[in-house]
């Protein structure tokens, strides 16, 4: 691509991504870099103000421990996360985020984020760990602080990172391309943070045609973190631990506020509450079936059992919950009317703050939450280590908490020297959400500066290898340009496959064979092996991805990234010979939880041979 300029940026610390974890890392790294004379650079594929999962805003901060107020302890949070993940969690990482997360929340408030207050000036909790916010502008506020800390000259927006640069077994930066200009970027760095979110669109979504592109998590988080870490040769963990959120059907409105703040029930078409009628099923998943709150996947599972028996649709009983909350005012018509208005406002704001399309769907289908119940459903699988899933890189824990097996020098560094991960990109430390991802970013931001300061030696860059990378990055555009005239319709061509078609193929095989919506989240060894066969063919065809312009080039690379996430997932489910997270996925041939699998499943791709290594890693209890 002779007419694509190559831009080389030399820096010490490179932050890939501009979301919650990246913004946390930026704020902290800006501080520690000054002390150490380091340059910090951030690259986001989009515009930081509205990039990533918090783009639309949020209506709650889902992790606040309240350590100072003595509301909870760090141990309480570790217990909560361990139980919710059916025993599989890195307690050192969870504890470290828990002890720092309140600091991030207090910073958000200082920067201007409105957090709901009660009559005494205390935070209004949605649930034990969650705070209510007016969060439409949450991301803008957090991004502004990051931009101020780093300085806009050190930030590259609308630059898509395709993969890592390596100097032997050390990560030495990243390469990518501008999605607006004809530019290839080479970022040379002493240390790199992968904070490019999770992966959406690996499985076929429920939405089709008219709603394609609508998903719960942002479709622009497309597996870049996983691809980056895999291609660097880093060890990954919990790649089988996908997340299936239950959401208001078709527009993916959140349920947390309804269950926790409004104390709503969910019932089936027969008015039965599956949490009660199916309580006996929880015994089969002891000890985790017996904890409070019931783990998210088991809540899903009880609901799915109803659906599989034909007892759906499932409804959130919004009308019932609102009536109950207003009941105590019913003898005073004026107070009753005021309370009803307040509840109605809160119900709509919950969506308007973070899932605007759900408010639009309610409005366009004449749903009034105070009058009618509203359908909920299990969504398609997502890869998101920061919420209730756990997939991500296997990173070093903090020196003061981590056992020796989980500590290798720098907190949040992956098993590859110089490559750090945080937020959705780091695994086995679920339930960090927006605030915990920011806090983990801050932890990583400090640690990465320490690494960069202590590892200043010059790195080697192979110009010929970089030129080859450039060629590979733009190959889809070249293929398209050379061949698009060979058919009358550019989207059907024997010489290339366009990203849209490629993505549909990926989503179909994952949906049908790896336990997507169509397969009722059920899979088995035979299905997974079939999926691997199809993935191998898809991988061959990925060499033939075509792209008509820069935007489609981004789509092409997004889908290559997704394909690697898919393979890591399928191989990990296959390797773990049990069902541990029914409600996320069910292995019909291994339908029970097995104590022999009370361990992590880690995997690694050898970047040179493209061979996968799978292994069991012992689980260390600390608290
Ligand atoms: O409850 C590249 N989340 C919620 N968290 C909360 O605290 N409260 C809530 O109310 C939450 N809810 C919720 C949430 C998310 C969504 C989508 C909805 C509702 C509808 C979860 C949090 O948002 C989430 O945990 C964090 O944002 C995770 O942080 P991080 O940093 O790991 O990911 P990110 O913020 O999405 O940022 C990713 C960044 O990477 C960029 N990027 N950059 C360069 N090159 C590439 N190839 C890239 N690929 C991606 C992105 O642009 C972005 O900047 S509730 O309903 O669940
Ligand atoms: P959600 O909107 O489903 O993402 O939920 C927001 C937060 O509330 C997350 O921390 C969830 O784990 C938690 N949550 C949602 N529903 C329930 C429930 N029924 N019981 C306990 N916690 C819940």
């Amino acid at each position: 691509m002779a007419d694509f300029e190559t831009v080389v940026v030399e820096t010490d610390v490179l932050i890939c991504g501009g979301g919650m974890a990246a913004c946390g890392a930026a704020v902290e790294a800006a501080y520690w870099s000054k002390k150490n004379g380091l340059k910090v650079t951030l690259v986001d594929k989009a515009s930081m103000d509205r990039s990533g999962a918090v783009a639309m805003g949020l209506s709650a901060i889902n992790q606040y421990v309240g350590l100072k107020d003595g509301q909870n302890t760090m141990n309480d949070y570790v217990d909560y996360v361990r139980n919710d993940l059916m025993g599989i969690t890195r307690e050192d990482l969870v504890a470290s985020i828990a002890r720092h997360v309140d600091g991030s929340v207090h910073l958000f408030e200082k920067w201007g984020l409105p957090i709901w207050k009660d009559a005494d000036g205390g935070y209004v909790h949605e649930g034990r760990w969650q705070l209510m916010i007016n969060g439409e502008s949450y991301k803008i506020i957090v991004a502004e602080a990051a931009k101020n800390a780093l300085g806009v000259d050190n930030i590259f927006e609308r630059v898509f990172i395709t993969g890592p640069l390596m100097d032997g077994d050390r990560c030495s930066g990243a390469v990518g391309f501008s999605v607006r200009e004809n530019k290839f970027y080479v970022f040379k760095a002493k240390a790199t943070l992968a904070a490019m979110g999770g992966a959406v669109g690996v499985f076929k979504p429920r939405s089709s045609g008219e709603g394609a592109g609508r998903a719960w998590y942002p479709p622009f988080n497309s597996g870049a973190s996983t691809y980056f870490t895999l291609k660097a040769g880093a060890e990954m963990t919990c790649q089988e631990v996908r997340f299936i959120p239950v959401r208001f059907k078709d527009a993916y409105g959140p349920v947390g506020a309804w269950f926790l703040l409004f104390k709503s029930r969910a019932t089936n078409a027969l008015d039965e509450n599956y949490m009660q009628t199916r309580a006996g099923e929880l015994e089969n998943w002891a000890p985790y079936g017996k904890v409070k709150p019931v783990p998210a996947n088991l809540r899903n599972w009880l609901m799915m059992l109803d659906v599989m028996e034909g007892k759906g649709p499932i409804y959130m009983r919004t009308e019932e919950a609102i009536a109950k909350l207003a009941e105590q005012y019913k003898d005073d018509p004026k107070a009753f009317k005021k309370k009803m208005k307040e509840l109605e406002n809160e119900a709509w704001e919950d969506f308007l703050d973070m899932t605007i399309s759900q408010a639009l769907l309610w409005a366009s289908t004449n749903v009034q939450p105070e009058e009618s119940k509203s359908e909920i459903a299990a969504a398609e699988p997502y890869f998101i280590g920061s919420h209730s899933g756990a997939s991500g890189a296997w990173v070093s824990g903090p020196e003061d908490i981590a056992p020796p097996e989980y500590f290798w020098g720098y907190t949040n560094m992956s098993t590859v020297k110089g490559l750090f991960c945080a937020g959705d990109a780091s695994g086995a430390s679920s339930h960090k959400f927006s605030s915990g991802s920011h806090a983990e970013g801050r932890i990583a931001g400090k640690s990465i500066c320490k690494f960069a300061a202590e590892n200043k030696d010059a790195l080697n860059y192979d110009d010929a290898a970089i030129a080859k990378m450039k060629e590979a990055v733009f190959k889809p555009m070249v293929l398209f340009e050379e061949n698009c005239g060979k058919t009358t319709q550019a989207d059907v061509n024997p010489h290339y496959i366009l990203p849209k078609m490629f993505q549909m193929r990926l989503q179909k095989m994952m949906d049908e064979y790896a336990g997507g919506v169509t397969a009722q989240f059920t899979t088995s060894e035979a299905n997974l092996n079939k999926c691997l066969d199809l993935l191998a063919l898809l991988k061959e065809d990925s060499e033939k991805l075509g792209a008509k312009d820069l935007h489609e080039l981004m789509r092409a690379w997004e889908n290559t990234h997704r394909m690697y996430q898919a393979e890591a997932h399928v191989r990990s489910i296959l390797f773990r010979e049990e069902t541990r997270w029914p409600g996320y996925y069910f292995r019909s041939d291994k339908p029970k939880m097995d104590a022999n699998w009370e361990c992590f499943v880690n995997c690694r791709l050898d970047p040179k041979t493209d061979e996968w290594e799978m292994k069991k890693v012992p689980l260390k209890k600390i608290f």
Side-chain angles (χ1 to χ4, degrees):
M1 301 293 294
D3 50 346
F4 276 65
E5 181 192 348
T6 296
V7 182
V8 177
V9 179
E10 300 209 7
T11 189
D12 295 302
V13 171
L14 177 67
I15 300 173
C16 297
M20 292 306 288
C23 286
V27 167
E28 202 72 30
Y31 176 83
W32 294 101
S33 62
K34 278 193 195 95
K35 295 204 151 191
N36 293 294
L38 302 169
K39 183 177 171 193
V40 183
T41 303
L42 184 147
V43 192
D44 191 348
K45 78 189 263 195
S47 162
M48 276 171 84
D49 279 351
R50 289 277 180 195
S51 68
V54 188
M56 275 197 277
L58 295 178
S59 60
I61 284 175
N62 279 350
Q63 190 187 4
Y64 182 72
V65 178
L67 282 178
K68 194 163 142 255
D69 317 328
Q71 286 161 2
N72 297 298
T73 65
M74 196 171 76
N75 286 20
D76 292 334
Y77 204 77
V78 174
D79 285 345
Y80 166 56
V81 178
R82 185 198 307 112
N83 287 334
D84 204 72
L85 268 295
M86 307 292 280
I88 310 298
T89 201
R90 279 278 301 273
E91 299 184 6
D92 56 326
L93 297 174
V94 175
S96 187
I97 295 166
R99 68 181 167 179
H100 292 295
V101 70
D102 294 359
S104 273
V105 174
H106 299 150
L107 282 174
F108 300 157
E109 193 173 28
K110 192 176 119 193
W111 295 332
L113 179 72
I115 305 182
W116 290 18
K117 293 284 168 56
D118 60 22
D120 304 322
Y123 293 142
V124 173
H125 279 250
E126 178 181 273
R128 182 173 176 188
W129 309 106
Q130 302 85 359
L131 302 180
M132 295 304 294
I133 57 173
N134 295 104
E136 188 278 338
S137 301
Y138 189 4
K139 184 63 205 300
I140 297 175
I141 291 165
V142 171
E144 185 182 35
K147 288 197 283 189
N148 287 343
L150 280 190
V152 286
D153 292 347
N154 294 314
I155 295 173
F156 293 79
E157 293 185 326
R158 304 194 190 281
V159 173
F160 184 95
I161 296 291
T162 48
L165 266 178
M166 300 296 292
D167 176 9
D169 58 3
R170 178 167 167 190
C171 183
S172 56
V175 297
F177 63 93
S178 164
V179 299
R180 293 273 168 98
E181 299 170 306
N182 291 350
K183 284 182 180 169
F184 176 65
Y185 278 92
V186 180
F187 296 99
K188 298 181 174 176
K190 300 278 182 289
T192 303
L193 174 69
M196 293 173 282
V200 179
V202 174
F203 280 81
K204 185 164 156 230
R206 276 187 184 275
S207 48
S208 60
E210 83 298 339
R214 180 74 199 115
W216 164 66
Y217 218 54
F220 24 87
N221 281 359
S222 46
S225 301
T226 303
Y227 180 86
F228 196 97
T229 34
L230 279 173
K231 282 288 175 177
E235 197 168 313
M236 310 297 282
T237 191
C238 298
Q239 291 299 311
E240 71 281 31
V241 196
R242 55 166 81 175
F243 177 43
I244 309 271
V246 162
R247 289 293 177 264
F248 282 87
K249 191 159 175 298
D250 294 333
Y252 301 87
V255 298
W258 282 100
F259 279 132
L260 301 179
L261 184 72
F262 296 119
K263 313 230 170 329
S264 178
R265 300 188 310 151
T267 57
N268 64 22
L270 311 172
D271 266 356
E272 294 164 346
N273 178 348
Y274 54 82
M275 294 303 294
Q276 286 168 354
T277 53
R278 300 227 177 240
E281 169 67 15
L282 295 174
E283 304 282 331
N284 296 331
W285 307 97
Y288 309 110
K290 295 188 166 175
V291 299
K292 289 275 175 277
V294 174
N297 66 293
L298 292 179
R299 299 198 299 269
N300 286 3
W301 178 236
L302 300 191
M303 173 179 156
M304 286 171 187
L305 290 173
D306 265 15
V307 173
M308 286 189 274
E309 265 185 24
K311 292 181 172 175
I314 305 294
Y315 293 102
M316 183 72 81
R317 302 304 298 268
T318 57
E319 80 306 359
E320 190 187 86
I322 289 183
K324 234 177 168 174
L325 287 169
E327 200 177 9
Q328 53 174 310
Y329 301 89
K330 74 176 185 307
D331 295 335
D332 178 347
K334 217 169 141 194
F336 181 76
K337 205 172 156 200
K338 191 169 164 237
K339 186 67 188 174
M340 283 298 283
K341 194 84 216 147
E342 186 186 307
L343 291 167
E344 207 187 306
N345 282 346
E346 285 174 4
W348 285 91
E349 194 196 321
D350 186 39
F351 293 158
L352 289 170
D353 270 353
M354 72 168 150
T355 322
I356 300 146
S357 44
Q358 184 70 56
L360 296 175
L361 188 66
W362 264 6
S364 60
T365 50
N366 299 325
V367 171
Q368 300 197 34
E370 68 282 17
E371 285 176 8
S372 47
K373 57 192 179 184
S374 196
E375 195 178 346
I376 55 173
E380 57 282 348
Y382 297 95
F383 297 94
I384 154 166
S386 71
H387 204 287
S388 311
S391 51
W394 183 246
V395 297
S396 174
E399 189 169 10
D400 60 335
I401 309 181
E405 296 86 341
Y406 296 168
F407 176 72
W408 47 92
Y410 296 91
T411 312
N412 279 85
M413 190 167 85
S414 71
T415 54
V416 165
K417 213 174 157 194
L419 174 59
F420 292 68
C421 303
D424 284 333
S426 77
S429 51
S430 324
H431 290 274
K432 20 191 185 190
F433 303 100
S434 60
S435 45
S437 296
H438 190 271
E440 194 188 24
R442 285 170 51 219
I443 295 167
K446 179 176 176 184
S447 173
I448 201 170
C449 284
K450 184 168 188 283
F451 176 92
E454 290 172 1
N455 294 272
K456 280 195 157 163
D457 36 310
L459 295 170
N460 298 307
Y461 294 93
D462 176 349
D463 287 344
I466 291 174
K468 262 183 135 175
M469 282 181 178
K470 181 177 178 183
E471 206 177 296
V473 163
F474 294 108
K475 187 173 159 200
M477 286 178 80
V478 175
L479 263 181
F480 183 89
E481 217 171 279
E482 287 175 357
N483 296 295
C484 65
K486 294 181 181 161
T487 52
T488 48
Q489 225 175 286
D491 58 345
V492 182
N493 192 304
H495 301 282
Y496 57 75
I497 176 169
L498 292 183
K500 195 171 176 185
M501 200 64 85
F502 183 91
Q503 185 179 11
M504 281 195 248
R505 252 177 79 186
L506 172 69
Q507 291 183 343
K508 183 169 160 62
M509 65 184 76
M510 292 302 285
D511 182 52
E512 292 179 347
Y513 299 109
V517 172
T518 303
Q520 293 281 17
F521 311 106
T522 302
T523 185
S524 63
E525 183 180 348
N527 276 295
L528 293 164
N529 278 325
K530 171 85 192 184
C531 195
L532 284 177
D533 289 346
L534 292 172
L535 272 168
L537 296 175
L538 189 72
K539 205 179 223 173
E540 271 179 31
D541 287 352
S542 67
E543 294 295 324
K544 298 277 176 185
L545 270 160
K548 68 173 178 304
D549 54 25
L550 283 174
H551 186 72
E552 207 161 53
L553 184 67
M554 177 175 72
R555 292 281 177 260
W557 276 100
E558 285 176 345
N559 284 310
T560 297
H561 291 173
R562 286 187 176 106
M563 181 179 67
Y564 277 81
Q565 175 63 77
E567 190 169 353
H569 182 52
V570 171
R571 289 187 184 279
S572 298
I573 299 190
L574 188 59
F575 186 74
R576 181 182 279 282
E577 296 188 332
E578 63 160 356
T579 294
R580 181 164 291 262
W581 298 274
Y584 289 170
Y585 74 87
F586 189 77
R587 265 205 51 179
S588 56
D589 54 340
K590 305 278 175 197
K592 292 195 175 141
M593 198 159 73
D594 177 348
N596 292 315
W597 287 94
E598 188 104 4
C599 63
F600 296 104
V601 164
N602 284 13
C603 65
R604 185 180 169 273
L605 179 76
D606 184 326
K608 292 197 181 82
T609 61
D610 237 19
E611 303 242 314
W612 292 82
E613 295 160 26
M614 309 297 304
K615 66 174 178 186
K616 281 178 153 187
V617 176
L619 188 82
K620 298 277 163 197
K621 284 218 160 197
I622 306 168
F623 296 93

